[in-house]
Amino acid sequence: MPSEIAKAYEPQEIERRWAQAWFEEKLYHPLAEAPGTVFSIALPPPNVTGSIHIGHMLEHTQIDILVRWRRMQGFKTLWLPGIDHAGIATQVVVERQLAKEGLKREQIGREEFERRVWQWKAESGDKIKSQMIRLGVSCDWMRERFTLDPPMYRAVMESFLRLYREGLIYRGRYMTNWCPRCQTALSDLETVHEPREGKLWFIRYPIKDSSEFITVATTRPETMLGDTAVAVHPQAERYAKFIGKKAILSLMNREIPIISDDAVDREFGTGAVKVTPAHDPADFAMGQRHKLPEIDIMTPDARISAAGGPYAGMERFAAREKIVEDLKAQGLLEKIAPHQMSVAICDRCKTIVEPRLSIQWFCKMQPLAKPAIEAVESGLLSITPENQKKIFLDWLTNIRDWCISRQLWWGHRIPIWHCGNCGAMTPARDSRVEVVNGRAQIASVPEKCEKCGSSKLTQDPDVLDTWFSSGLWPFSTLGWPDNTEDLRVFYPTSLLISGYDILFFWDARMVMLGLHLTRGETPAQRIPFRKLYLHGIVRDPHGIKMSKTRGNVVDPVEIIEKHGTDALRFTLSVMAAPGGDIALSEERILSYRAFANKIWNAARFLFFNFEKAEAAGLKLDELAAPEIRAKAPYSAADSLPHRWIFSRLARVLEQIDAALEEFRFHEAAHVIYHFFWGDFCDWYIEWLKPQIASENLDEARAAWRNLFAVFEYALRLLHPFMPFITEDLWHRLPQRSGAKSISLEAFPKANPQWTDSSAEQQFAFLQEIIGMARNIHAEMKLDPKAKVAADLSSQDPPLLELAERNREPLMRLARLSELKTTRETLSPASGPAVRSTAQFDLRIRSSETRDIPGEIAKLKKEEERLKKDIEQKQSRLADSAFRERAPSKIIEGLEATVSERQREYEKIVSRLAELS
RNA sequence: GGGCGAUUAGCUCAGUUGGUUAGAGCGUUCCCCUCACACGGGAGAGGUCCAAGGUUCAAGUCCUUGAUCGCCCACCA
């Protein structure tokens, strides 16, 4: 028993030690063949880019709470961790490093580049892992995965090949978002729109063989170089005469047709539009309809290509300026208007994205989305918060094909070979993967072209979108496509917790791919997770989004070093209301650090005094025995406080289970906080102080047994939220000796017999008396050290008896030197030293001088309030409609309240009369 | 252009299915270094629940409209 326990809780050393121990002891490695109901969850793999941030901390905390809770409840619990290779994000990071050396990836070649990324991955991955360990996450490190590891690589190959064979993956020349800096195609999701102050240039296109011209408006004049038509609306009268004629693209000395198309908006700009099929999605579609040529005037790095004639080689925005200048010189620039527009930028590097025509790989989404929609609509997959369900369904309903190819070097390479002879495509024979130089690659390389038999085959250079492999995560991590035992046991996973910001990127794709690819017979067996909980975002103290540019980012590791993981975890939990973001402030963290300290000191108090009690001859060896534990609460001479605390505990347990069941972390955390601090520390311990030191060993034993029992229950309750401090203290308990971890103990379950509403009522009454006495003390500014005599009067004999039975704690906690209980009305019934409820009056006998006007003012205010309240309620009760329609329970309750209020009111009136 | 959410104490936020005196943390006021804890104890103050209508016996909670703020989606050049 450690009496040398520190006065203040210092989390750093303790947390570090336990984090390491949990990791090394491999405590959280469930065996597939073990008995028990499964609770499994896949960690949203952090990107190998960078380090753990506060958002991860929130996510990991919430997952860990549920995982520890379920594990303690007896579930066979798996939390599978891992890291994502984060294709484009990681490549950007390594390219930046290269840039510092003055190098470009093309200069060092694909192989060397990949080597560098792997090197970087090793360092960064280790850092992330060690940070996660420090957070105390109870995941199964023995099952850790990385998306580029051989089994994962194989799963990706298998998925691709299957979807390809099924015709769901196709290749073609389409307009896609292109990042000129990353030099790769992007999916729609990877481009974000940013409002910008732009310009609208009004440009005249002379009509051939005429002095007239047609004016179009454009936000991107440089694309003129690729114009192949001018379009007007079929019903636009003012332009009708031009349809079928030629316009002259003076910059390029080209004649282009004037066409009509429904897609033209008559209201916008001039009602006429230039058509650039190679550089605008809408124009591309129009070009297809009218069989217009597609002139690509831009290079992959967004310079004007040879097709741009005199402007070739110029950077896109420089070309824009030059073109505007030239048009102006030619008198073709009609005007420039300011224009609010939204610019598409690359999510990763913030470069302005160009719509670009290129050959890419796509995945057909509608056939995959349909089962996903059904799963959500049928409730097979539940989504919390509820309102995200509609967003999810809307997106799936309007889904478009997904561009899955990336012109990157970091990722899963597309297992397709192109024939140098006939151009046909040949897929890998199967998904087998081999390891070369420590890196996975496809093993079954085709030897000859499927179509012409030529052996001049080259592998497609593209890699897959990162999210393609992430989309397989819940099953690829469990060994899919093999029918492994892990897969059979732990799939489908029970739950996914992710941020709503990746709902489409990731969550939706897992649902679609899981339903389509895994082998279960029913959707219920194929769905990758049965529940989806979307957490909020951690913001700064004023609710503003954290960002590096604003400089309001907080580093969880720093906070942890300063205040402890438990404090931060608890803060994040207690603030995490479903659907809401979190405004995180240091003050708030401090208050829960104080909570940790409170727990620590409660333990300190117990340990210290227990040592003393033992010295006085108390023996409590039997505390460790489970059958003793099951008997709590242990009776004593007057068992009211014990009955009360166990009744409270039962209620709290019920509330916590209900709250966690529905992801109401804040509610669960609140309940625990107030139980521990309010009920346990402020009342229960205080109440029992004399008994634990009692010379009557029977009395002391009962007190100690209950005290330790409740404390141990509290630690187990708290453990999912504050794993470190609870683990540490638990090992110091006299009940425990050799057990490995509190996290492997059972989560407390309420015994139905604990619920005792009469104990709760009685205790509440005593608390009320004590509160009143303290109030009088404070109001009258009595010497805090002085005890005073008091009278308690009531017409209710059981109340007086209750007070008599609890005379000792009542007097001690209310700081009374004497307590007289009486059925007689107190006289005088007024004065600052009297407080009343409908049931009783409490008077402190004091010789202090009285502030009569002050008292009157206070009483008047109270009188006013009660009067208004009573009137309001009476008129309610007088309303026949109310009496007819309201449930009788409400009416009776209201009547009881009114009569109670009236009694209080009468007392106040008579006291006022007495005073004046 | 669609859609979603928010507006409750000085600040940041809770408030389950409408029901009797609307809560928390921090901050704030007063008293106390009482032998677990000043990261503490005790006692207070502080709110016409954004506005206007409506439904209901009953509205912070449901409906409508408006205001302000925020977010997501969308190929109006």
Side-chain angles (χ1 to χ4, degrees):
Chain A
M1 186 72 82
S3 58
E4 69 283 7
I5 180 167
K7 186 173 171 183
Y9 177 52
E10 295 295 341
Q12 289 77 12
E13 193 269 329
I14 287 173
E15 291 184 351
R16 233 188 306 271
R17 184 157 46 79
W18 282 113
Q20 199 56 34
W22 295 332
F23 173 71
E24 280 166 9
E25 303 239 359
K26 302 180 174 65
L27 289 184
Y28 309 118
H29 178 63
L31 298 174
E33 64 270 22
T37 313
V38 168
F39 181 79
S40 68
I41 188 162
L43 173 78
N47 283 353
V48 73
T49 335
S51 53
I52 296 293
H53 57 69
I54 192 78
H56 291 120
M57 180 79 194
L58 173 70
E59 188 166 280
H60 296 180
T61 297
Q62 295 190 343
I63 298 173
D64 198 47
I65 287 170
L66 294 180
V67 161
R68 286 181 186 270
W69 172 60
R70 289 299 191 197
R71 187 183 292 117
M72 290 175 80
Q73 281 184 329
F75 285 80
K76 177 158 71 171
T77 301
L78 170 65
W79 180 10
L80 193 150
I83 292 177
D84 195 288
H85 70 283
I88 191 163
T90 308
Q91 178 150 337
V92 167
V93 169
V94 176
E95 280 174 353
R96 274 194 202 126
Q97 285 186 340
L98 282 178
K100 279 184 199 154
E101 300 170 37
L103 288 172
K104 289 199 166 193
R105 67 177 153 119
E106 289 80 6
Q107 290 170 273
I108 61 173
R110 189 163 187 155
E111 204 159 310
E112 169 62 12
F113 182 76
E114 280 188 64
R115 198 191 59 78
R116 290 228 186 190
V117 189
W118 275 103
Q119 189 187 333
W120 193 81
K121 180 263 159 187
E123 293 163 21
S124 185
D126 284 354
K127 186 175 152 201
I128 290 168
K129 185 172 170 180
S130 69
Q131 285 176 335
M132 283 184 62
I133 290 168
R134 181 67 178 78
L135 300 188
V137 294
S138 64
C139 52
D140 181 1
W141 291 108
M142 292 176 80
R143 285 190 174 87
E144 185 188 356
R145 296 286 183 271
F146 177 59
T147 47
L148 281 174
D149 283 346
M152 308 276 99
Y153 204 104
R154 169 157 172 251
V156 171
M157 295 298 107
E158 175 73 20
S159 313
F160 182 96
L161 291 169
R162 253 188 66 185
L163 293 167
Y164 177 75
R165 278 188 229 111
E166 290 168 350
L168 289 172
I169 284 181
Y170 63 94
R171 185 171 183 256
R173 188 164 182 264
Y174 295 95
M175 178 84 39
T176 49
N177 307 298
W178 181 268
C179 174
R181 201 226 55 90
C182 304
Q183 297 208 24
T184 178
L186 302 172
S187 67
D188 296 335
L189 287 175
E190 286 164 305
T191 63
V192 291
H193 293 269
E194 213 174 67
R196 294 253 174 109
E197 199 66 52
K199 284 178 185 156
L200 202 52
W201 285 270
F202 289 75
I203 297 161
R204 290 169 176 165
Y205 285 58
I207 307 292
K208 190 191 175 190
D209 302 327
S210 156
S211 59
E212 289 183 285
F213 49 78
I214 187 166
T215 305
V216 305
T218 180
T219 54
R220 293 186 297 155
E222 69 279 9
T223 60
M224 280 182 77
L225 303 173
D227 283 358
T228 53
V230 170
V232 298
H233 193 272
Q235 268 91 53
E237 281 160 31
R238 55 178 171 157
Y239 294 128
K241 56 182 175 178
F242 295 137
I243 297 172
K245 296 199 169 166
K246 301 273 184 192
I248 294 168
L249 184 63
S250 64
L251 294 175
M252 297 300 292
N253 244 332
R254 193 158 72 225
E255 288 176 13
I256 55 177
I258 297 172
I259 59 171
S260 71
D261 195 290
D262 286 336
V264 179
D265 181 349
R266 280 190 277 180
E267 308 300 318
F268 189 88
T270 63
V273 63
K274 61 193 246 3
V275 185
T276 321
H279 293 282
D280 182 273
D283 292 7
F284 176 73
M286 212 184 286
Q288 299 267 301
R289 283 197 290 276
H290 297 271
K291 309 231 169 352
L292 299 173
E294 291 154 1
I295 303 175
D296 186 347
I297 54 115
M298 237 178 248
T299 59
D301 63 345
R303 293 175 177 278
I304 305 300
S305 71
Y311 302 94
M314 292 180 78
E315 191 276 331
R316 56 182 163 165
F317 298 117
R320 176 182 294 180
E321 276 181 38
K322 182 73 168 60
I323 284 167
V324 170
E325 210 173 278
D326 292 351
L327 287 169
K328 202 173 168 188
Q330 293 177 29
L332 295 176
L333 181 65
E334 195 169 290
K335 63 169 178 178
I336 305 173
H339 182 59
Q340 253 321 316
M341 53 194 286
S342 81
V343 184
I345 58 173
C346 171
D347 195 20
R348 281 296 154 199
C349 74
K350 312 303 173 199
T351 306
I352 294 178
V353 162
E354 281 292 329
R356 181 163 187 261
L357 212 45
S358 57
I359 297 174
Q360 300 292 345
W361 290 88
F362 297 88
C363 184
K364 278 190 196 163
M365 296 312 276
Q366 267 164 17
L368 294 174
K370 230 183 130 209
I373 292 169
E374 280 162 18
V376 173
E377 279 176 345
S378 68
L380 197 59
L381 170 64
S382 76
I383 299 179
T384 311
E386 187 78 23
N387 65 308
Q388 297 283 342
K389 187 169 150 179
K390 189 173 148 29
I391 298 173
F392 190 79
L393 286 172
D394 282 353
W395 187 78
L396 284 174
T397 307
N398 301 312
I399 199 162
R400 291 183 301 159
D401 287 358
W402 171 20
C403 175
I404 53 171
S405 51
R406 295 290 177 276
Q407 288 64 53
L408 303 174
W409 288 350
W410 176 242
H412 305 89
R413 196 151 167 194
I414 290 176
I416 298 285
W417 277 257
H418 300 282
C419 176
N421 186 41
C422 74
M425 296 189 286
T426 305
R429 291 193 306 277
D430 55 58
S431 63
R432 274 178 302 126
V433 155
E434 62 186 356
V435 177
V436 178
N437 296 331
R439 310 204 294 256
Q441 61 181 50
I442 189 93
S444 53
V445 177
E447 274 147 25
K448 49 188 188 188
C449 173
E450 248 176 16
K451 197 173 169 198
C452 72
S454 160
S455 57
K456 277 168 62 185
L457 294 180
T458 45
Q459 189 176 359
D460 194 287
D462 291 353
V463 301
L464 289 162
D465 181 4
T466 293
W467 296 102
F468 189 88
S469 57
S470 319
L472 315 172
W473 186 250
F475 44 99
S476 63
T477 50
L478 293 171
W480 183 91
D482 291 332
N483 186 18
T484 60
E485 192 170 18
D486 268 6
L487 190 66
R488 286 196 304 273
V489 171
F490 295 110
Y491 189 87
T493 65
S494 314
L495 165 70
L496 176 76
I497 294 191
S498 93
Y500 55 71
D501 51 332
I502 54 171
L503 178 63
F504 306 142
F505 273 111
W506 192 47
D507 309 354
R509 278 148 178 183
M510 281 190 283
V511 175
M512 291 187 282
L513 292 171
L515 281 171
H516 186 77
L517 292 168
T518 57
R519 72 179 71 220
E521 276 166 29
T522 64
Q525 293 169 308
R526 296 196 302 267
I527 190 106
F529 35 85
R530 299 190 185 94
K531 291 183 179 181
L532 170 59
Y533 174 71
L534 297 157
H535 65 248
I537 287 173
V538 182
R539 296 168 179 272
D540 84 353
H542 300 284
I544 297 167
K545 203 166 172 171
M546 288 187 185
S547 77
K548 278 178 199 156
T549 45
R550 279 197 199 88
N552 59 352
V553 180
V554 299
D555 176 4
V557 178
E558 248 173 57
I559 297 178
I560 282 171
E561 283 304 321
K562 226 164 140 188
H563 306 301
T565 308
D566 283 341
L568 181 54
R569 278 175 69 117
F570 204 83
T571 309
L572 292 170
S573 321
V574 88
M575 297 182 82
D581 290 343
I582 289 174
L584 184 68
S585 67
E586 183 150 13
E587 288 83 50
R588 198 73 196 249
I589 298 164
L590 279 170
S591 73
Y592 297 108
R593 179 201 157 129
F595 181 46
N597 191 55
K598 187 75 183 177
I599 299 167
W600 185 258
N601 273 288
R604 224 180 126 230
F605 172 81
L606 293 188
F607 297 154
F608 185 74
N609 285 287
F610 185 59
E611 258 189 8
K612 283 204 263 184
E614 278 186 318
L618 185 76
K619 289 265 186 304
L620 269 184
D621 299 339
E622 76 279 23
L623 265 182
E627 63 274 16
I628 295 287
R629 195 203 261 178
K631 279 188 197 149
Y634 313 99
S635 57
D638 185 341
S639 59
L640 179 62
H642 307 305
R643 283 163 52 215
W644 170 75
I645 196 78
F646 276 92
S647 188
R648 287 287 307 131
L649 180 60
R651 204 176 294 276
V652 160
L653 281 167
E654 200 182 309
Q655 285 173 324
I656 290 170
D657 279 347
L660 288 183
E661 204 76 57
E662 291 169 42
F663 310 111
R664 299 199 308 268
F665 297 97
H666 69 300
E667 199 181 302
H670 253 125
V671 165
I672 298 185
Y673 180 89
H674 287 109
F675 173 73
F676 193 87
W677 201 315
D679 295 337
F680 184 68
C681 292
D682 291 346
W683 287 101
Y684 190 61
I685 291 185
E686 291 303 329
W687 201 276
L688 293 185
K689 272 181 175 172
Q691 290 168 49
I692 60 173
S694 173
E695 285 172 17
N696 175 343
L697 289 187
D698 285 339
E699 189 180 66
R701 187 173 298 115
W704 276 112
R705 277 178 172 169
N706 285 318
L707 210 42
F708 271 122
V710 176
F711 185 65
E712 200 266 349
Y713 275 116
L715 287 184
R716 278 189 278 151
L717 267 183
L718 268 160
H719 182 257
F721 297 85
M722 301 182 118
F724 292 105
I725 190 169
T726 49
E727 178 82 298
D728 199 73
L729 290 175
W730 188 78
H731 285 271
R732 303 174 189 236
L733 284 177
Q735 293 107 306
R736 297 288 108 219
S737 43
K740 243 182 186 170
S741 170
I742 186 175
S743 63
L744 304 178
E745 290 283 301
F747 197 76
K749 252 172 112 169
N751 181 332
Q753 290 168 354
W754 291 351
T755 305
D756 187 338
S757 53
S758 105
E760 291 201 40
Q761 249 174 357
Q762 292 177 14
F763 203 80
F765 169 72
L766 296 171
Q767 285 176 310
E768 200 174 12
I769 297 176
I770 291 163
M772 278 185 173
R774 287 166 169 177
N775 175 278
I776 296 170
H777 262 278
E779 288 276 305
M780 297 186 67
K781 300 196 193 304
L782 300 181
D783 177 0
K785 286 175 195 105
K787 291 190 174 177
V788 287
D791 304 300
L792 179 71
S793 141
S794 174
Q795 305 305 311
D796 185 4
L799 269 188
L800 295 178
E801 282 162 30
L802 177 68
E804 283 295 343
R805 271 203 309 278
N806 291 280
R807 169 171 282 277
E808 184 282 321
L810 209 50
M811 287 177 66
R812 174 165 49 90
L813 297 173
R815 274 175 294 169
L816 305 179
S817 56
E818 192 190 329
L819 175 65
K820 220 173 92 188
T821 57
T822 172
R823 294 185 64 174
E824 274 157 42
T825 314
L826 295 177
S827 173
S830 68
V834 179
R835 293 287 181 278
S836 307
T837 70
Q839 288 82 24
F840 65 88
D841 302 304
L842 179 74
R843 181 177 61 190
I844 299 284
R845 287 182 232 145
S846 161
S847 56
E848 293 297 311
T849 47
R850 299 167 56 175
D851 169 18
I852 306 263
E855 282 170 46
I856 292 179
K858 218 179 143 188
L859 285 171
K860 278 245 163 85
K861 199 177 160 193
E862 186 65 8
E863 184 200 11
E864 196 67 20
R865 194 181 64 84
L866 278 168
K867 198 176 157 189
K868 225 172 112 188
D869 186 60
I870 290 167
E871 275 169 9
Q872 208 184 340
K873 287 190 167 56
Q874 273 176 336
S875 76
R876 194 74 155 307
L877 282 168
D879 185 349
S880 60
F882 172 71
R883 302 206 78 103
E884 271 167 43
R885 308 212 184 174
S888 57
K889 199 177 144 195
I890 297 292
I891 297 174
E892 282 159 25
L894 200 58
E895 277 168 346
T897 312
V898 167
S899 64
E900 201 166 283
R901 294 283 147 78
Q902 268 170 339
R903 262 180 284 162
E904 282 175 51
Y905 180 73
E906 280 156 23
K907 283 183 186 178
I908 284 174
V909 169
S910 75
R911 278 161 69 179
L912 269 172
E914 221 177 297
L915 280 174
S916 46

